[in-house]
Amino acid sequence: MESMLQSLYLENRAGYYFTHFCEKSGNKLWENSAYFWFDLQAYHQLFYQETLHPFKICKQAQFLYATYIAPSASMDIGLHQNKKHEIYKKIEPAFEDLFDPAEEYILTLLLEPWMKMVEADKCTYEKVELVEETRQLDSVYFRKLQALHQESVSKKDESAAADTGLPTCHDVLQKDQDSCQAPHELAGPNLCDLIHDKLKLEQFRVFLDERSAGTDLMCWLDIEQFRRMLHKDKEKGEEKSKDIKNKYLNKKYFFGPNSPATREQQEELMRSGGGWGQILHDQVSPAILLEIQKYIQKRLEKQWLPLFLADEQHGPHEKAKIRDIVEDILIQKKEKKTRMWKHVDNKWVSSSREIIAFRKALLNPVTANQFQCFVSLKGDLLANGVLFWQEVQKYKDLCHSHCDNATIQNKITAIINCFINSTVPPALQIDIPTEQAEKILEHRKELGPYIFREAQMTIFALLFKFWANFCEFRSNLASDKILPALERKKEKQICYKLLLNHKMKNWPQAFHVVRKKGQITIHSP
């Protein structure tokens, strides 16, 4: 992903090589996504100019939506309907993060053609191309021999697939086709549908963990990964099979009292696998693992999935709280790579996946609270910066809700009185240049909905510098240990400041402080 983003930024200097590859592929989604990315950069740059032009921003936002996102778009990028609706609601007034969901989607989409192009380039550069010319007589007998050869090759492929004990591609497709033809009202909760929705899957995992049933899902997912791996890489498939056997095929889980299979089913499975000794010491056959997966899936779909779906009907406040926790877990799972903002025409342009991920994290109450505690250790005003950024986002939501002007003006006044011109000293409660604060106070009515644009971008850039360190800090701790660890650090910091103040009062002459390995030593002349 990182190399693809770097190449996209330099694509115009490379003669639009990747864009041409997407065009030649014949895949319209790839081609349209590449075009959308470049047009989106032009939209982003409008926010980093010396003078802001709201009319230009509005026109560019409408152009992007009409061309790439709207239901009747001429160059549709295939964005999900929910995301389209989310963008449409926020298009007036348009802010810099309006198309974040679409950008995140196309970057994931473009990763596939990028990998294919890189592989094709490697093949081209790592070998000397041989041009082979075959000359032969085109006769009836030769064509018959060729047809027989192709027939024998296809039969070998089918027999090889049968030997693995796994269903062939034709069987899988036929099974999927049959399941699609089943009446919708007769179909119960389906685990296969759930795994395609990452957020729902993570919610289901949290639900099972709370009821000490998380092993069922973990085992099912591991076997599913093994099933997909077996056809591609046999060695990795064997390693995965051993891992599954060691983790799950024991008396603590599958052959124990809490097994998804009955006692009779366990014994039957053990006999078909060659007995307990065979399962313990030899590699488990794919057919046995698939049978185990069926038992697990049956329990998940019959027992836990209906309870989970019924549990989803509880109150909206509790539901939102669970969603926040789940999203926080998903953010932690994503691999974070430090990526500095691109410097284009002397302006910082934020369009990498990490910037979008950071925006999402600040909007998540759980992650934002942890990050606020973390940056408060780095500076007194940084924690206020997190709150300011969140309040400006709420102000943007008010603008999108098209509420009355008095409500919007009250929100602006509240933000200014709290962060820009506070009655509690210092008057400026966030870390922005005084020129920006004065501009907000003097030109409040002229700036319109973009009154806090520069201040919010300054705070965002400042906070983003600490994001990578925060991710590294919390990667070594469990979720429930993060806040206590930060509170302990804060207490130590406060104690250090109090000690320092005490020494200054009792030691008016010159002195210097040395802090080494957690110990504070004060040296006087």
Side-chain angles (χ1 to χ4, degrees):
M1 176 61 74
E2 213 41 38
S3 60
M4 182 186 78
L5 279 167
Q6 289 172 10
S7 299
L8 283 171
Y9 281 114
L10 301 171
E11 179 78 347
N12 58 338
R13 300 182 191 178
Y16 296 97
Y17 186 76
F18 178 55
T19 309
H20 292 320
F21 178 85
C22 292
E23 288 170 350
K24 290 176 184 176
S25 69
N27 189 317
K28 281 293 178 185
L29 280 181
W30 293 354
E31 184 181 345
N32 295 344
S33 296
Y35 293 149
F36 173 70
W37 192 87
F38 290 112
D39 286 338
L40 185 59
Q41 302 321 298
Y43 171 77
H44 281 154
Q45 287 199 30
L46 293 175
F47 291 92
Y48 295 88
Q49 293 176 354
E50 293 293 336
T51 306
L52 191 75
H53 299 283
F55 179 75
K56 283 186 179 179
I57 290 171
C58 180
K59 286 295 177 187
Q60 183 70 7
Q62 289 173 357
F63 164 75
L64 288 171
Y65 183 81
T67 309
Y68 299 103
I69 296 171
S72 57
S74 57
M75 300 175 72
D76 188 28
I77 57 172
L79 191 64
H80 194 272
Q81 190 61 39
N82 291 344
K83 301 292 184 184
K84 288 182 179 182
H85 186 60
E86 182 184 334
I87 292 169
Y88 179 75
K89 284 195 301 184
K90 296 180 179 180
I91 203 166
E92 182 61 43
F95 293 102
E96 69 275 7
D97 55 353
L98 174 64
F99 295 102
D100 275 7
E103 184 175 8
E104 192 174 24
Y105 162 76
I106 61 145
L107 287 176
T108 307
L109 185 71
L110 288 173
L111 196 58
E112 185 182 351
W114 169 257
M115 295 301 293
K116 287 187 177 181
M117 188 189 76
V118 170
E119 288 300 318
D121 283 351
K122 281 181 182 177
C123 292
T124 303
Y125 291 118
E126 288 179 3
K127 71 177 183 181
V128 178
E129 190 175 355
L130 297 175
V131 180
E132 186 177 344
E133 185 180 349
T134 306
R135 296 184 181 184
Q136 58 195 18
L137 293 172
D138 187 14
S139 65
V140 177
Y141 300 109
F142 174 75
R143 286 198 294 271
K144 282 184 178 180
L145 282 170
Q146 199 171 30
L148 286 168
H149 174 69
Q150 288 175 353
E151 190 179 343
S152 65
V153 168
S154 63
K155 283 182 179 178
K156 281 180 183 177
D157 290 341
E158 286 181 9
S159 63
D163 289 341
T164 62
L166 296 172
T168 62
C169 281
H170 178 268
D171 294 336
V172 172
L173 289 172
Q174 188 65 38
K175 185 178 178 183
D176 289 344
Q177 191 176 5
D178 293 342
S179 64
C180 290
Q181 290 171 355
H184 186 266
E185 59 272 12
L186 295 178
N190 195 326
L191 187 64
C192 295
D193 291 338
L194 191 71
I195 63 171
H196 294 300
D197 188 336
K198 287 185 180 179
L199 187 60
K200 268 274 173 60
L201 182 64
E202 195 60 36
Q203 287 176 340
F204 188 45
R205 189 189 67 76
V206 171
F207 173 84
L208 291 173
D209 285 343
E210 287 174 353
R211 289 152 182 80
S212 304
T215 313
D216 279 358
L217 183 62
M218 297 307 296
C219 183
W220 190 92
L221 289 171
D222 280 346
I223 296 173
E224 183 68 12
Q225 188 183 1
F226 160 77
R227 189 177 68 80
R228 295 178 184 182
M229 193 185 288
L230 195 62
H231 294 293
K232 295 177 183 177
D233 193 326
K234 195 173 180 180
E235 289 184 8
K236 285 185 179 179
E238 289 175 357
E239 288 177 14
K240 189 68 180 174
S241 173
K242 289 176 184 175
D243 184 51
I244 291 168
K245 181 189 75 174
N246 295 332
K247 281 168 71 175
Y248 306 110
L249 303 191
N250 49 50
K251 292 186 178 179
K252 289 182 181 178
Y253 178 60
F254 192 80
F255 292 107
N258 195 30
S259 173
T262 62
R263 193 69 187 165
E264 294 77 16
Q265 289 169 339
Q266 291 176 37
E267 289 173 359
E268 186 183 340
L269 203 66
M270 206 180 293
R271 282 196 299 273
S272 60
W276 182 250
Q278 185 102 3
I279 288 175
L280 274 178
H281 301 292
D282 293 343
Q283 186 183 342
V284 183
S285 70
I288 297 292
L289 290 178
L290 284 179
E291 197 65 27
I292 290 169
Q293 190 186 31
K294 283 179 186 176
Y295 292 134
I296 297 168
Q297 184 167 344
K298 187 176 180 182
R299 180 157 80 172
L300 286 170
E301 290 182 347
K302 298 291 182 186
Q303 181 179 341
W304 294 116
L305 202 51
L307 287 173
F308 168 69
L309 295 173
D311 196 54
E312 277 197 315
Q313 304 303 319
H314 46 50
H317 179 71
E318 190 181 348
K319 194 173 180 179
K321 188 179 177 182
I322 292 170
R323 187 177 65 248
D324 290 337
I325 293 168
V326 169
E327 284 180 355
D328 179 60
I329 293 168
L330 289 173
I331 289 168
Q332 289 187 59
K333 281 187 175 181
K334 284 187 177 180
E335 211 174 73
K336 298 292 187 299
K337 295 181 181 178
T338 306
R339 176 182 176 81
M340 298 312 293
W341 288 8
K342 292 292 172 179
H343 196 260
V344 180
D345 299 327
N346 299 320
K347 303 293 173 189
W348 292 108
V349 179
S350 57
S351 57
S352 70
R353 284 190 83 184
E354 285 70 29
I355 300 298
I356 298 169
F358 184 46
R359 281 200 192 111
K360 280 186 174 180
L362 288 177
L363 291 171
N364 182 286
V366 177
T367 317
N369 185 33
Q370 293 171 355
F371 183 67
Q372 185 185 354
C373 294
F374 179 81
V375 294
S376 67
L377 300 170
K378 312 295 180 182
D380 294 333
L381 299 180
L382 289 171
N384 291 347
V386 176
L387 294 173
F388 171 75
W389 190 92
Q390 290 175 328
E391 288 304 316
V392 174
Q393 287 300 113
K394 291 175 185 176
Y395 159 73
K396 288 179 180 179
D397 291 338
L398 267 182
C399 293
H400 291 138
S401 67
H402 303 291
C403 61
D404 60 282
N405 191 51
T407 306
I408 292 175
Q409 289 304 317
N410 287 339
K411 184 66 178 176
I412 292 172
T413 303
I415 293 173
I416 289 173
N417 292 342
C418 188
F419 299 103
I420 311 295
N421 191 22
S422 174
T423 53
V424 179
L428 187 58
Q429 290 282 332
I430 52 175
D431 202 353
I432 61 170
T434 52
E435 295 81 11
Q436 282 187 11
E438 287 169 4
K439 186 178 178 181
I440 291 170
L441 295 172
E442 290 173 12
H443 304 281
R444 170 176 172 170
K445 293 183 180 178
E446 299 166 22
L447 293 171
Y450 300 101
I451 180 171
F452 300 114
R453 177 186 65 94
E454 289 183 4
Q456 191 188 30
M457 287 165 62
T458 303
I459 291 296
F460 188 85
L462 186 65
L463 294 174
F464 184 70
K465 293 175 184 177
F466 300 98
W467 177 241
N469 293 336
F470 170 70
C471 291
E472 186 180 351
F473 167 77
R474 74 171 186 171
S475 65
N476 301 318
L477 295 168
S479 297
D480 56 338
K481 304 289 183 185
I482 294 169
L483 284 176
L486 290 169
E487 284 168 6
R488 285 195 297 273
K489 281 178 176 283
K490 188 71 176 175
E491 285 171 6
K492 285 182 182 178
Q493 196 177 68
I494 292 168
C495 289
Y496 176 69
K497 284 181 180 178
L498 289 172
L499 180 62
L500 206 58
N501 290 335
H502 177 72
K503 292 294 181 184
M504 286 177 72
K505 287 176 183 177
N506 294 285
W507 233 323
Q509 64 268 32
F511 69 93
H512 65 279
V513 180
V514 178
R515 187 173 185 177
K516 189 175 181 182
K517 294 183 180 178
Q519 294 183 345
I520 301 167
T521 310
I522 301 179
H523 297 277
S524 61

